[in-house]
Amino acid sequence: MSYYEKAEILFEQGNYAKAIDFYKLELERDPDDNYSKTSIGSCYYNLGEYDLSLEILTDVISNDPHHWYSNYLIVFAFIALDKLDYALNFAEITLDLDPENELAFYALATVEYHKDNNLTALKLCNNGLGINPENNAIKELKSKILISSGEHYKASKITDQLLESDPNNGDTHALKGAIELNNENYKEAKNHLLTALSLNPNDQYSKDNLVEVLKANSFLYKHFMKRAFNKYTLDLKFSFGTILYLIFAIKLLPILIGITLAFLLINWYLSVWYEVAMMVRKGYKHLLNESKKMRAKIFFFSNCVLLTCLTLAISYEQDWLWLLFVLIFTTLVFFISYSEAEKKSGQKTCIIFLGAVLILTISPIISGGIDELLSSIIIAVVGIGLYGITFSLNGVK
């Protein structure tokens, strides 16, 4: 048995680190073997070493620009590194190299999905399925796109068909779990997600959704927090009664806005505290990804500082401590929103808005001294309220 054959067996077993060693031994015998190089790149990708994967795969296409599989793998390495424009370029190359290969459409559809172009991604999936209707990877991607688009019934039909043909497919169980989560069938969602994790223990998609299932099953979330994190729509049939309701609402508008802001802000904080609790609970920490673990740690530390400032401000009646409390609290709120912003554009908006609110908050102090503290607090509260209500009403958890 050759080194390459041994490496292929190890690759199929998921022992990627060991497979790399045998692929390298094969390369010592034949330094120009692009198959072994591409396989090493694939191993590094599966190990999460995306930069090393790109280095190997780029070397392959520098010698053979038409090497289809290397171009194909580069697409997913760039997606993992969140370099979607580069990924799109290579996805288009794979399609140009082999327009009859359904996987070329799959690669391009995956990029468009990550760019939030769901309609385009769905069309590309259908093109790929037109070439090979039995490609399960494309079906799974199509299901994920439909979930993202809110078309859970259509997505459920696809996942049901996939599970019928392959009951032990972890990716399909993960998708089914996400569908049941959106349908608020939390018991079914939990069963599918646990099955998915038993098959793919490192699947972060399943872990993230399982965290949401656990939140949804908590008494606090189910009876109090859940209402703060739904997307709201306004569907009014105007009648005399409706007009009276509106007049009554307008009269009480300042009070309603105040109650709504307080309600959303409290729930926003509690949702992150839930993640802090998961950090210290046995058996739950591994469900949080690295960014959520970091957010939970910073959030806990910042709240300790915040509580200290509040205690000192009350005890010693020092205005500058109250200002420090307001500034930390304001920054903390925007830190949460920054962590929750999925797109870079959303994070940039958050930073700009934070900078503006902090400048406006300290401006009265700079111009009028510490006596203008109340003005600073009002500005901070209004800024936090505007941003917090925007995130909460858009379904941010």
Side-chain angles (χ1 to χ4, degrees):
M1 186 182 291
S2 68
Y3 291 131
Y4 184 84
E5 289 171 330
K6 290 178 181 177
E8 288 288 278
I9 292 170
L10 289 166
F11 185 95
E12 290 298 321
Q13 293 173 346
N15 192 346
Y16 303 115
K18 194 67 177 175
I20 289 171
D21 294 335
F22 280 96
Y23 283 127
K24 286 181 176 178
L25 288 171
E26 184 66 26
L27 280 174
E28 288 178 8
R29 295 169 56 177
D30 183 5
D32 298 322
D33 180 11
N34 281 336
Y35 290 105
S36 293
K37 288 181 182 178
T38 303
S39 297
I40 291 172
S42 183
C43 286
Y44 279 128
Y45 173 83
N46 286 308
L47 289 169
E49 301 283 353
Y50 305 120
D51 289 317
L52 282 173
S53 177
L54 277 174
E55 185 181 330
I56 298 290
L57 296 170
T58 304
D59 180 58
V60 173
I61 62 172
S62 65
N63 297 319
D64 183 5
H66 296 98
H67 195 278
W68 187 88
Y69 194 55
S70 288
N71 281 286
Y72 173 78
L73 290 175
I74 285 174
V75 174
F76 295 94
F78 274 127
I79 289 173
L81 292 169
D82 200 27
K83 296 180 178 179
L84 299 181
D85 289 334
Y86 290 104
L88 181 61
N89 179 50
F90 280 94
E92 289 171 345
I93 290 171
T94 62
L95 190 60
D96 289 338
L97 290 173
D98 191 356
E100 296 301 317
N101 190 330
E102 74 272 12
L103 290 179
F105 286 100
Y106 171 70
L108 197 52
T110 305
V111 178
E112 295 293 354
Y113 166 70
H114 281 87
K115 289 170 77 73
D116 290 329
N117 298 327
N118 287 340
L119 192 61
T120 304
L122 199 58
K123 195 177 294 183
L124 289 164
C125 283
N126 289 332
N127 289 340
L129 290 171
I131 297 171
N132 181 6
E134 301 305 317
N135 189 299
N136 286 346
I138 301 178
K139 288 181 181 179
E140 287 169 7
L141 177 60
K142 184 177 179 179
S143 179
K144 191 177 284 189
I145 295 165
L146 289 169
I147 293 169
S148 180
S149 303
E151 298 187 54
H152 303 126
Y153 177 72
K154 291 181 181 178
S156 186
K157 287 182 70 176
I158 295 173
T159 53
D160 286 344
Q161 290 172 3
L162 288 169
L163 285 174
E164 192 175 331
S165 61
D166 184 5
N168 295 317
N169 189 313
D171 293 333
T172 309
H173 277 288
L175 291 171
K176 187 66 176 175
I179 293 166
E180 296 298 346
L181 170 61
N182 280 288
N183 290 334
E184 299 184 8
N185 298 325
Y186 301 123
K187 186 176 180 180
E188 287 295 316
K190 185 177 181 180
N191 290 338
H192 282 289
L193 292 168
L194 288 174
T195 302
L197 285 171
S198 69
L199 296 165
N200 300 323
N202 298 317
D203 180 22
Q204 194 58 52
Y205 182 77
S206 296
K207 289 180 180 180
D208 290 342
N209 281 315
L210 186 55
V211 169
E212 296 307 319
V213 170
L214 293 171
K215 281 185 180 181
N217 277 327
S218 72
F219 177 85
L220 188 65
Y221 187 94
K222 191 180 294 183
H223 297 282
F224 183 62
M225 292 171 63
K226 181 180 167 184
R227 291 184 179 85
F229 299 118
N230 288 329
K231 293 185 178 180
Y232 298 97
T233 57
L234 190 63
D235 184 17
L236 290 176
K237 293 180 180 178
F238 281 91
S239 63
F240 181 72
T242 303
I243 293 169
L244 286 177
Y245 282 131
L246 288 172
I247 292 171
F248 182 71
I250 290 169
K251 187 176 179 180
L252 297 175
L253 196 59
I255 298 172
L256 291 173
I257 289 175
I259 293 172
T260 303
L261 291 178
F263 176 70
L264 293 172
L265 196 57
I266 290 168
N267 282 286
W268 207 15
Y269 254 75
L270 288 174
S271 68
V272 187
W273 271 115
Y274 193 93
E275 292 173 6
V276 175
M278 293 187 78
M279 280 284 293
V280 297
R281 285 184 68 185
K282 187 177 180 181
Y284 287 89
K285 183 179 178 179
H286 74 284
L287 295 175
L288 300 176
N289 59 34
E290 291 304 315
S291 62
K292 284 192 174 182
K293 287 177 184 176
M294 182 61 70
R295 181 173 82 167
K297 290 175 183 176
I298 295 174
F299 184 77
F300 178 75
F301 174 76
S302 300
N303 273 278
C304 289
V305 175
L306 193 67
L307 184 61
T308 302
C309 288
L310 179 62
T311 304
L312 291 173
I314 293 171
S315 301
Y316 296 100
E317 297 183 355
Q318 295 292 321
D319 287 342
W320 69 271
L321 284 170
W322 278 107
L323 179 61
L324 184 60
F325 171 80
V326 170
L327 292 176
I328 293 173
F329 183 76
T330 306
T331 305
L332 195 54
V333 168
F334 284 92
F335 166 73
I336 300 170
S337 64
Y338 178 86
S339 301
E340 289 170 341
E342 294 182 2
K343 294 182 180 178
K344 288 183 178 178
S345 58
Q347 293 176 339
K348 289 177 182 176
T349 303
C350 176
I351 292 172
I352 293 168
F353 205 91
L354 168 61
V357 171
L358 288 178
I359 290 169
L360 289 171
T361 299
I362 62 175
S363 292
I365 304 293
I366 294 171
S367 61
I370 202 70
D371 292 335
E372 295 296 324
L373 178 64
L374 182 60
S375 300
S376 293
I377 292 174
I378 291 171
I379 291 169
V381 169
V382 171
I384 290 170
L386 288 172
Y387 208 71
I389 197 171
T390 301
F391 265 81
S392 294
L393 291 180
N394 280 282
V396 175
K397 295 182 176 59

